[in-house]
Amino acid sequence: MIQLYNRDIISAMDFDRETLDYLFIEAEKIRQELSTKKILDYCKDKIMTTVFLEPSTRTRLSFQFAMTRLGGLVIDFGLEQAASIAKGESFEDTIKMVDGYKPDIIVLRHREPGSARKAAEIASTPVINAGDGWNEHPTQALLDLYTIWREFKRIDNITLGIIGDLRYGRTPSSLSYAISKYRNVKIYYIAPKELQIRREVLEKIDKLIEWKMVERVEEVIEELDVLYVTRLQKERFTDPLEYEKLKGSYNITLDLLKKFRKIPIIMHPLPRVDELSQDIDSLPQAKYFEQAENGVYIRAALIKSILTR
Ligand code: NCD
């Protein structure tokens, strides 16, 4: 198991399976404790700073809820437009300054791939990567795997389909890295050619798990235990025409799912746009809201492990 105490969390590749399993059990314990108490005291003299320089709803809120539930304090950096970055302050200076206030942990989201690693090099405080551009989102991978683990009581032998914008998405890459630590896992990457998974992701998982690229979900759906849907990452397209061309190129609807004998559980990191129809929400297989809720417990487990011995 890796040492989590005082550690930066930059990539989902950094976890090993013992650490992942440990975090799932810790998350279950915290969930249990929070069923009778609103606020615990594991982090009661600790301070978290959340620095989100790209839009976020769930990730920021669930980090803030997790730290508050652990009894810690949260100071939010606020909106980029309102901060000195808007006056031209560099990323390095911003991180140095935040670090200088001596929080116990910094949670960072930034549009530049590699920014979390850069921040970790600058800051003496542990940094958690809450999304660095299209690159990675390791704590999303934690809550994704935690959701699968709760559902199937295992992660070994899972067949996972990831559909959507695998090129610009950071959740498909981090999920692939984290799940590659388990045995006999197979991933189908389901996307039009223009949106297929990045080569660097395949290079990292190639020796660890089986994977295959397909264009249409219908080809593989009955083989899947989990279908993980992602939205087109509009904000990362440099060519608006390309975005328009690909918009609506995949769409999971109730009518589509009903055609098959077996419906896998459906996950989505959210927010959804038009790739996942609302008529699926009432299916027992729809797990995305539960998945978002799980984020609080697994992030609490991670924060507690980084901040306490
Ligand atoms: C994801 C992200 O930010 O990468 N959202 C999230 O953290 N739940 C997915 C997305 O924005 O499409």
Side-chain angles (χ1 to χ4, degrees):
M1 188 168 139
I2 61 166
Q3 159 96 318
L4 287 170
Y5 181 69
N6 219 14
R7 184 192 176 104
D8 301 307
I9 304 294
I10 306 301
S11 165
M13 258 304 176
D14 296 346
F15 298 110
D16 56 20
R17 77 177 274 157
E18 290 72 28
T19 310
L20 293 166
D21 290 343
Y22 168 82
L23 288 171
F24 303 151
I25 306 274
E26 274 295 298
E28 287 300 275
K29 285 190 201 155
I30 292 173
R31 180 193 297 267
Q32 189 61 37
E33 287 180 75
L34 286 172
S35 67
T36 53
K37 265 180 132 175
K38 267 196 168 351
I39 294 184
L40 311 173
D41 59 6
Y42 294 116
C43 294
K44 82 174 180 302
D45 48 0
K46 309 283 186 194
I47 302 175
M48 165 187 280
T49 305
T50 45
V51 183
F52 278 66
L53 304 176
E54 244 194 357
S56 171
T57 309
R58 274 150 293 273
T59 307
R60 183 209 304 250
L61 261 184
S62 68
F63 266 111
Q64 295 179 342
F65 263 93
M67 185 58 168
T68 305
R69 298 281 186 212
L70 292 171
L73 293 168
V74 179
I75 297 184
D76 187 64
F77 183 89
L79 295 174
E80 182 173 4
Q81 295 87 324
S84 284
I85 299 169
K87 302 181 192 167
E89 184 169 72
S90 71
F91 175 72
E92 286 81 354
D93 284 4
T94 302
I95 298 298
K96 252 185 221 158
M97 188 274 306
V98 170
D99 189 49
Y101 292 151
K102 304 203 169 29
D104 296 286
I105 195 159
I106 297 171
V107 181
L108 175 73
R109 172 172 286 192
H110 192 277
R111 76 184 77 77
E112 254 338 290
S115 52
R117 193 167 302 282
K118 200 158 136 193
E121 279 160 17
I122 298 168
S124 56
T125 313
V127 172
I128 300 183
N129 181 4
D132 60 329
W134 46 256
N135 186 35
E136 275 219 57
H137 192 351
T139 63
Q140 179 69 40
L142 287 182
L143 74 94
D144 295 340
L145 279 197
Y146 177 45
T147 305
I148 296 173
W149 179 83
R150 293 194 91 227
E151 198 57 36
F152 296 93
K153 309 283 174 274
R154 62 175 163 86
I155 296 174
D156 291 328
N157 307 314
I158 287 289
T159 300
L160 165 68
I162 312 182
I163 182 167
D165 189 348
L166 315 178
R167 177 177 172 199
Y168 293 116
R170 55 193 166 201
T171 61
S173 42
S174 284
L175 177 55
S176 301
Y177 299 152
I179 206 169
S180 73
K181 304 301 165 85
Y182 288 84
R183 276 187 285 274
N184 198 25
V185 167
K186 181 164 185 181
I187 304 183
Y188 284 109
Y189 294 108
I190 310 160
K193 284 195 183 65
E194 297 90 331
L195 297 176
Q196 261 300 355
I197 190 80
R198 300 186 296 277
R199 176 149 299 278
E200 99 255 5
V201 179
L202 297 176
E203 279 166 7
K204 285 190 196 162
I205 60 162
D206 194 38
K207 292 205 169 55
L208 305 170
I209 54 172
E210 219 186 303
W211 58 268
K212 198 175 168 201
M213 292 185 201
V214 297
E215 283 198 38
R216 290 163 52 81
V217 68
E218 289 89 334
E219 298 172 48
V220 294
I221 197 159
E222 288 187 343
E223 274 183 64
L224 304 178
D225 299 301
V226 181
L227 177 62
Y228 188 98
V229 188
T230 63
R231 81 180 161 92
L232 210 50
Q233 306 281 301
K234 183 178 182 185
E235 66 277 29
R236 304 203 198 286
F237 278 79
T238 41
D239 178 358
L241 285 177
E242 201 194 1
Y243 170 77
E244 287 303 323
K245 193 183 112 204
L246 290 162
K247 206 172 103 184
S249 60
Y250 58 97
N251 187 7
I252 306 298
T253 62
L254 189 57
D255 280 346
L256 173 94
L257 294 179
K258 279 201 310 211
K259 286 192 208 141
F260 298 94
R261 272 175 294 132
K262 184 188 148 211
I263 301 178
I265 68 162
I266 312 288
M267 294 175 59
H268 193 305
L270 302 176
R272 65 175 150 187
V273 187
D274 54 11
E275 65 286 343
L276 181 63
S277 161
Q278 286 192 4
D279 56 15
I280 291 173
D281 296 4
S282 54
L283 286 183
Q285 287 93 341
K287 298 292 173 195
Y288 24 94
F289 291 109
E290 210 174 297
Q291 184 187 348
E293 185 190 335
N294 288 340
V296 173
Y297 303 113
I298 197 78
R299 288 186 170 116
L302 180 68
I303 298 162
K304 175 176 175 241
S305 306
I306 295 173
L307 292 183
T308 65
R309 275 187 206 270

